């Protein structure tokens, strides 16, 4: 039986890496011929990434990680765009791929290199795959609808010569194959409405078309309409293989166990479904004025809360936000004392543990796709408060397309991607209303979320839809199991 190896090139931030590693784990579990080598770029320092990789390396013997050497930034160059920083890693990627290919060719017992699986930000590495005659695949860490959006926007731009930036601030509604409902143009990701950023977004979609297939972190039962919109043969095959969640992040747990124990204990003492959890992803944070409004909104709502409150990064920086040393400095006077019995402020959150805890009854989220999938998995309804990237679009998908959430905001834009004219403050009143709406959600809506939770778990069972798609992917990449 000939063995096969896939090379994975992820974007090395937690929100892309975790689901990519998870799909790799399932692939090797489902076929003993497969092994996977990850090439890890060192783009910024996040100790969570290293801890996570260490824990996976020790647990899975057919997955290994090769760390590429860190490129020192050229002091004469202005700070580069993220995708350009990835593109600059091509020579090191090429060197590693060359070594792996030579090794594979030198011995009949070595696995054949079957292809390269890339993150959406790493499509420049398709050139490396082509050089070695290897097929490329994508693993998309966001939704099928967001994939449809990328193809739609690229077609509008390239074929119909539409200047997308004209949609900025307009009331136009866009009808696209991946959505049942028309999308208000104001919910397009900021990068699509900005002349400087648009090419960065158009380019991956063009290159996706060159690949042999796209695995997406979603499942048929959740996004059937969007998934069906790819069946016209105009795109490479799409494989909905999710939800890919890391339900046991041992690396995180060991490193921060005392802090996490305290959070678990606090949750253990709260009534069933009584706590609203607030978290805005790995990067999201707010300025002091907005923090105060959130605090007042929570207090006015009277609901119990667990709030991951984080410090803003310098403008334009997209690295994980850090915890406050003294959160009281940014909160309204006396807030911590007044809410001592009903609320808890934390920094980086053990999100999976929190969402899985029976005391949690709602999630105020920035609508990162991982957070949405995690919340659905645990049957916790979401109140949307998107900040950047495709999050406004995800909020629309969740509320309008899927009917699985309530709205605090849908068109809000976080500081780092707004052009300065969109920085409205969401008032305490709006937050209070949103939190009440979420926590006092009618049974029918809560049941819908629970039902989808069951479907998400079923999709990954041995005979579930996502497992079948994983098998189909393996078959397309390495052929029939003997
Ligand atoms: O305090 C925290 C904050 C986050 N997380 C975890 O970190 C991940 C965050 O992922 P996500 O919810 O997708 O948010 P982002 O970190 O913002 O993710 C980026 O990547 C996603 C997937 O491509 C996109 O959907 C987002 O828009 C983009 O910002 C999730 O697994 C969370 O469980 C924690 O465990 N604790």
């Amino acid at each position: 039986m000939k063995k096969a190896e896939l090379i994975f090139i992820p974007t090395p931030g937690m929100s892309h890496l975790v689901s990519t590693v998870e799909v790799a784990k399932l692939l090797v579990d489902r076929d003993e011929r497969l092994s996977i080598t990850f090439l890890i770029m060192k783009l910024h320092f996040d100790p969570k990434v290293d801890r996570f990789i260490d824990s996976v390396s020790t647990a899975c013997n057919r997955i290994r990680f090769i760390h590429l050497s860190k490129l020192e930034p050229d002091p004469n160059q202005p700070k580069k765009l993220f995708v350009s920083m990835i593109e600059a890693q091509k020579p090191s990627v090429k060197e590693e791929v060359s070594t792996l290919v030579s090794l594979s060719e030198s011995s009949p017992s070595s696995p054949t290199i079957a292809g390269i699986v890339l993150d959406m930000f790493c499509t420049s590495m398709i050139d490396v795959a082509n050089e070695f005659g290897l097929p490329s695949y994508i693993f998309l860490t966001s939704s099928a609808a967001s994939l449809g959006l990328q193809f739609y926007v690229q077609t509008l731009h390239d074929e119909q010569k539409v200047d997308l930036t004209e949609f900025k601030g307009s009331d136009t509604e866009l009808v696209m194959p991946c959505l049942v409902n028309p999308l208000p143009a104001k919910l397009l990701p900021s990068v699509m409405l900005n002349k400087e950023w648009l090419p960065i977004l158009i380019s991956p979609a063009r290159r996706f078309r060159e690949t042999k297939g796209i695995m997406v972190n979603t499942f048929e039962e959740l996004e059937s309409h969007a998934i069906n919109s790819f069946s016209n043969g105009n795109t490479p095959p799409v494989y909905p293989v999710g939800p890919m969640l890391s339900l046991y992040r041992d690396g995180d747990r060991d490193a921060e166990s005392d802090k996490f124990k305290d959070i678990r204990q606090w949750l253990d003492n709260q009534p069933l479904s009584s706590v609203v959890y607030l978290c805005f992803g790995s990067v999201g944070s707010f300025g002091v004025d907005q923090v105060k409004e959130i605090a007042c909104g929570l207090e006015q709502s009277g609901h119990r809360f667990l709030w991951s409150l984080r410090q803003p990064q310098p403008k334009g920086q997209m690295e994980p936000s850090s915890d406050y040393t003294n959160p009281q400095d940014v909160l309204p006077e006396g807030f911590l004392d007044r809410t001592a019995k009903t609320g808890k402020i934390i920094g980086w959150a053990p999100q999976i543990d929190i969402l899985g805890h029976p005391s949690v009854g709602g999630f105020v989220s920035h609508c990162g796709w991982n957070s949405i999938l995690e919340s659905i998995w645990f049957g916790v309804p979401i109140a949307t408060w998107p900040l950047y990237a495709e999050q406004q679009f995800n909020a629309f998908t969740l509320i309008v397309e899927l009917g699985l959430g309530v709205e605090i905001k849908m068109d809000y834009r976080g500081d780092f991607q707004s052009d300065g004219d969109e920085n409205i403050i969401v008032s305490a009143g709006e937050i209070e209303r949103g939190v009440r709406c979420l926590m006092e959600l009618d049974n029918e809506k809560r049941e819908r979320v629970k039902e989808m939770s069951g479907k998400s778990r079923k999709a990954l069972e041995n005979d579930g839809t996502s497992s079948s798609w994983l098998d189909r992917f393996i078959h397309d990449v390495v052929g029939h199991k003997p």
Side-chain angles (χ1 to χ4, degrees), residues 213-378:
I214 304 171
M215 286 187 282
V216 184
N217 193 8
T218 190
F219 53 103
E220 270 185 33
E221 294 79 354
L222 181 67
E223 288 199 273
S224 56
H225 179 84
I227 291 163
N228 287 336
S229 73
F230 301 113
S231 54
N232 55 10
N234 290 337
T235 63
V238 168
Y239 306 82
V241 295
M244 292 295 142
L245 316 172
S246 180
L247 296 173
Y248 305 102
R249 281 191 217 141
D250 296 330
D252 271 8
R253 282 169 193 234
D254 291 346
E256 307 198 46
S257 55
D258 281 349
K259 219 176 355 167
F260 289 0
K261 205 158 84 191
D262 174 51
I263 295 169
R264 267 194 294 272
Q265 270 170 4
W266 184 83
L267 282 171
D268 287 346
N269 291 326
Q270 309 307 315
L272 202 67
S273 298
S274 67
V275 175
V276 56
Y277 162 60
L278 295 89
C279 184
F280 299 87
S282 42
V283 180
S285 59
F286 297 100
V288 177
D289 291 348
Q290 185 62 77
V291 167
K292 288 195 185 346
E293 292 296 318
I294 296 176
C296 293
L298 284 173
E299 201 176 346
Q300 284 162 210
S301 81
H303 283 284
R304 291 164 197 266
F305 64 86
L306 179 61
W307 178 8
S308 167
L309 172 60
R310 311 252 282 287
Q311 224 168 344
Q313 294 292 351
K315 202 167 170 63
Q317 200 164 310
M318 293 293 282
E319 290 179 11
S321 46
S322 44
D323 299 355
Y324 277 105
T325 321
N326 295 311
Q328 67 269 26
D329 293 349
V330 289
L331 290 165
E333 218 180 313
F335 174 80
L336 288 177
D337 291 335
R338 289 194 301 277
T339 57
K341 289 213 172 80
T342 53
K344 189 170 178 62
I345 302 277
I346 55 173
W348 179 266
Q351 181 157 303
I352 293 282
D353 288 358
I354 293 172
L355 289 173
H357 197 287
S359 300
V360 174
F363 180 13
V364 174
S365 170
H366 74 315
C367 299
W369 189 243
N370 296 295
S371 291
I372 289 181
L373 290 178
E374 289 162 5
S375 213
I376 289 176
W377 180 271
F378 290 109

